[in-house]
Amino acid sequence: MRAALILALLALPAAAAAAAPVVLAERQTVTLEFTQPIQKLAVSDPEAVGLRVSGSSVKLSGLRAGRIQLDVVFADGATAAFDVSVEPLRRAAVKPLAPDELELAVGQERVIPSPPGAQVLLEDTGVARAFQDGRGVVVQGIAAGVGSLVIVNPSGARTTWKLRVR
């Protein structure tokens, strides 16, 4: 996610009464443009925001959620203060899995309770490995992809899962 917002700031007074607010999200970029060349920047937390100066503009990139103070000093000695808030990146909600779906990461292991002597069948064995041990059926993700897992208990009852390895 990369958004650019350009704020055009016209001739700021030498002494700004209050810091101007700037809000951006983690991984978002904002460009502040001025009418005068920038001489130096002072930032209260350089870990929260990345800065890149180019003549009379400065590009801010949200790195980590937090609130910082940014002071811009111009060639003529004038200063502009900004109160920058970097908001946490909103993560997409994870879609809940259906009861017949099993999702694993590569290298992740999941144990499914099953009676001793159950048979384990895998369709597309390139994505996962499955075996029975004292805990039940152990499924290990080995490569990204999809497949299916079938467990047949000693009485012949079958349980099938859609298997997704990410």
Side-chain angles (χ1 to χ4, degrees), residues 1 8 11 21 25 30 34 37 39 42 65 68 106 110 118 125 135 141 153 166:
M1 163 171 109
V30 172
F34 303 95
Q39 182 159 344
I68 65 160
V106 172
R110 179 89 37 91
T125 57
R135 302 173 293 167
N153 73 19
R166 52 179 157 66

Side-chain angles (χ1 to χ4, degrees), residues 121-153:
L121 308 168
L122 274 177
E123 174 190 292
D124 191 355
T125 57
V127 298
R129 183 178 309 131
F131 57 91
Q132 177 121 15
D133 72 4
R135 302 173 293 167
V137 174
V138 178
V139 183
Q140 298 171 332
I142 57 175
V146 293
S148 65
L149 169 70
V150 179
I151 299 176
V152 182
N153 73 19

Side-chain angles (χ1 to χ4, degrees), residues 44-124:
S44 62
D45 184 2
E47 300 292 318
V49 67
L51 301 169
R52 187 175 320 160
V53 177
S54 177
S56 62
S57 68
V58 60
K59 186 180 282 189
L60 289 82
S61 298
L63 302 176
R64 150 176 86 67
R67 203 166 173 165
I68 65 160
Q69 179 69 32
L70 172 66
D71 294 317
V72 181
V73 179
F74 301 99
D76 69 355
T79 302
F82 296 91
D83 182 21
V84 180
S85 294
V86 179
E87 300 294 326
L89 185 64
R90 294 195 180 129
R91 313 256 187 256
V94 177
K95 177 187 146 221
L97 297 175
D100 64 342
E101 292 182 352
L102 180 63
E103 184 171 332
L104 300 168
V106 172
Q108 184 180 5
E109 181 178 284
R110 179 89 37 91
V111 178
I112 301 171
S114 66
Q119 294 180 347
V120 180
L121 308 168
L122 274 177
E123 174 190 292
D124 191 355

